Amino acid sequence: MATVYVAHDLRLDRRLALKVMHPSLAQDPTFVQRFINEAHSVAKLSHPNVVQVFDQGEDQGHVFLAMEYVPGRTLRDLLRSRGRLPARDALNVMAPVLAALGAAHQAGMVHRDVKPENVLITEDGRVKVADFGLARAVEQSNQGLTRTGTLMGTAAYLAPEQIEKGVADARSDVYAAGIMLYELLTGSQPHTGETPIAIAYQHVNEDVPRPSHFLPGLPAEVDALVTKATERDPRYRPSNAGQYLAKVLKVLNGLPATPSAADQAPLAPVAPAAAATASVTAPQLIAGGAGPGTENATMVVDMASAGLDDGYDGKDGYGDDDGYDDYRGGHGDRRRRNLLVGIGAAVLAVVLLGAGWWFLVGQYENVPDVVGRDPEAASQMIRDEGLRYDLSSETVYSDAEEGTVGETDPEVGARLSPDDVVTVYLSKGPQTVDMPDLAEMEVANALKELEDLGFAAENITQEDVDSTDFAPGTVISTDPEAGAEADREEQVTITVSRGVPVPAVVGEDLETARQMLEDEDLTVEVVEEASADVEEGKVIQQSPDSGSSVGAGTTVTLTVSTGPPGVDVPDVVGMQVDEAREALEEAGFKVKVERVLGGREVAHQSHTGRVPEDTEITITATPGGIDLGDFGGGGNGNNGRGNGNGNGNGNGNGNDDDDD
């Protein structure tokens, strides 16, 4: 795909690896895009066990990647020099490889080409995964990187679903990692052949044998790590590298520090598998032509030219589209017969060995169907199967009743080794519910009902609108509407009535104010109140106040001015003193009488109009009601004699006795 140079970064003054795409491939936009994808994929990862990509670009037609320089050797080099690794050493290598793949899986990427050539070991023993050239976002995995009818990858490490379906996910990387662990333990690959297609078909039709068949005395737990990761049906593998790493570390921590004699013993002879004799077009090698030393090169294999009887239809490599049944042999008899015709006795031996291993799967336990069970019952059922029960603090949406088991990890029906852990997640009910009818309900009660149904407070939006048909604070409508399906993770809007805004009528005359309120379907009640400042008949105040929102038909109380405060003073001029006194006292006033010349008829009163109740009113009586002005200013008598000087002189005797 490219030539890699040791280069010097002039700007940052450091050594790096410069991967320059071959000029012939740089003319192909598909390969260029794949090359760029490598940079984009790895640049998203920041992990000590991942070779970092620093830059990507193009210079005068040369497409390049600037990558971290890792002095050391590949895992393939180590394997060639040592032949195979003891179990502890093999797992110590696998752990950082799986940590790197786990980081990629967590970021939504799949490596797609896991093999010893892409694992680098530094001079100080650190392990780094390189060449994410085939890595792609998981959600794009079904689109395929190559044209229909071709495979991309390294045949010895391709997962069955890559061969049959052309798809890859995190479990495909787990499969390749399981093959690599087998190779580290035994020193050879489980499936071999003269052509990539012959090897690929063995992945589909043959189970990977246990390493202990060639390494008697190898711990069963190490065997299980290989067999579990290389299950042909991806449903039965660990779902990602992080889960597989947890199993590897558990086994690694249980191994003795010193390898056993059996672990260090030479391998029993292994007969190489014969190649299929079908006519196969030589694969196109991305690194250049096929030849010695390129057995593990990443390549594109044209499945359409394989020349098998069933042909290749671009679906699963065998002319049918029957899902994962091929992994269990349900529809593969004809294919295997065609293949077995052209293979030698050694391949038959491998088939028989795989078949023998098949009968040992009885040691695996199935995850029981505990969905919908209460946690206590689920715990007992899982333990009865020889598995360990773990209740997660997380809850999940499920059709199961709230509080019962919603789902398990691994899923129901998955095969596990004895004492494996089954994580149980309780249900919080279905994610979608029927929207309740909240119309005319008090908003507080409506909000509580939604929260009781599992809607988070932050997912509930309230909108207030004016309404003459609904009381303030009551629900008018909802979105989604009543009876519709509502997602408890999405926004729900409730529309609430503000009622009718009360118009401002203070200062208006009573009739105008009454009309304004009745136009808004409000009822009017009038209360009168005296006011020295507000004109009689005008509104002094209103309740509720203007700007308030009320329901239709609400009573608004208007306080209307009756004018200045006080009592009307009766007009007593011309009345007899006794009659005048009685009229004033009945009106609530105090009365003081002054007589001039013994007068008995009121000629003058001190107050007229409206005055506060209990005010003292002075009335002046004169003979015959004579106006005091006739006396030139008159005189004043008070409890005795008095002299008054007007325009002339005069004397008068006065006595406050009515009879005098």
Side-chain angles (χ1 to χ4, degrees), residues 526-541 558-566 610:
V526 177
V527 175
E528 293 184 337
E529 182 181 296
S531 173
D533 303 317
V534 179
E535 182 182 344
E536 183 178 359
K538 300 286 188 182
V539 178
I540 301 173
Q541 64 182 21
L558 301 180
T559 302
V560 179
S561 173
T562 58
R610 295 177 63 88

Side-chain angles (χ1 to χ4, degrees), residues 188-194 202 214 269-275 344-350:
S188 63
Q189 296 165 351
H191 300 314
T192 57
E194 291 183 359
Q202 290 180 58
F214 313 107
V270 181
V347 171
L348 180 59
V350 173

Side-chain angles (χ1 to χ4, degrees), residues 436 438 441-455 457 460 475 494:
L438 306 178
M441 186 180 291
E442 290 288 337
V443 63
N445 295 334
L447 292 173
K448 184 178 186 304
E449 182 163 339
L450 289 176
E451 291 176 3
D452 289 344
L453 284 174
F455 292 92
I460 303 174
V475 177
I494 59 174

Side-chain angles (χ1 to χ4, degrees), residues 526-600:
V526 177
V527 175
E528 293 184 337
E529 182 181 296
S531 173
D533 303 317
V534 179
E535 182 182 344
E536 183 178 359
K538 300 286 188 182
V539 178
I540 301 173
Q541 64 182 21
Q542 65 184 78
S543 178
D545 203 354
S546 61
S548 302
S549 292
V550 297
T554 299
T555 297
V556 178
T557 301
L558 301 180
T559 302
V560 179
S561 173
T562 58
V567 180
D568 289 329
V569 179
D571 184 3
V572 296
V573 173
M575 292 183 182
Q576 294 298 310
V577 170
D578 292 343
E579 184 183 4
R581 184 198 298 273
E582 182 179 357
L584 292 171
E585 287 178 348
E586 285 181 355
F589 300 107
K590 296 177 182 179
V591 180
K592 180 180 179 181
V593 178
E594 292 183 350
R595 297 178 185 273
V596 177
L597 301 177
R600 293 182 178 274

Side-chain angles (χ1 to χ4, degrees), residues 13 81 109 123 127 140 147 277 344 357-358 483-484 522 602 616:
D13 191 23
S81 65
M109 291 183 290
E123 294 171 344
V127 175
Q140 295 175 331
R147 69 183 184 276
T277 59
W357 177 83
W358 173 259
L522 301 174
V602 177
E616 184 177 76

Side-chain angles (χ1 to χ4, degrees), residues 5-64:
Y5 300 89
V6 176
H8 186 77
D9 186 339
L10 296 176
R11 183 173 57 185
L12 298 178
D13 191 23
R14 61 179 175 182
R15 299 180 80 187
L16 49 76
L18 195 67
K19 179 181 285 191
V20 181
M21 183 184 291
H22 295 318
S24 60
L25 298 178
Q27 306 302 315
D28 185 341
T30 301
F31 280 99
V32 172
Q33 187 59 50
R34 187 175 303 120
F35 199 75
I36 293 172
N37 285 347
E38 178 175 357
H40 291 176
S41 297
V42 187
K44 297 177 183 178
L45 300 178
S46 178
H47 193 277
N49 299 117
V50 174
V51 175
Q52 296 297 295
V53 171
F54 298 138
D55 197 4
Q56 177 273 323
E58 185 269 341
D59 182 20
Q60 300 181 21
H62 299 288
V63 181
F64 67 88

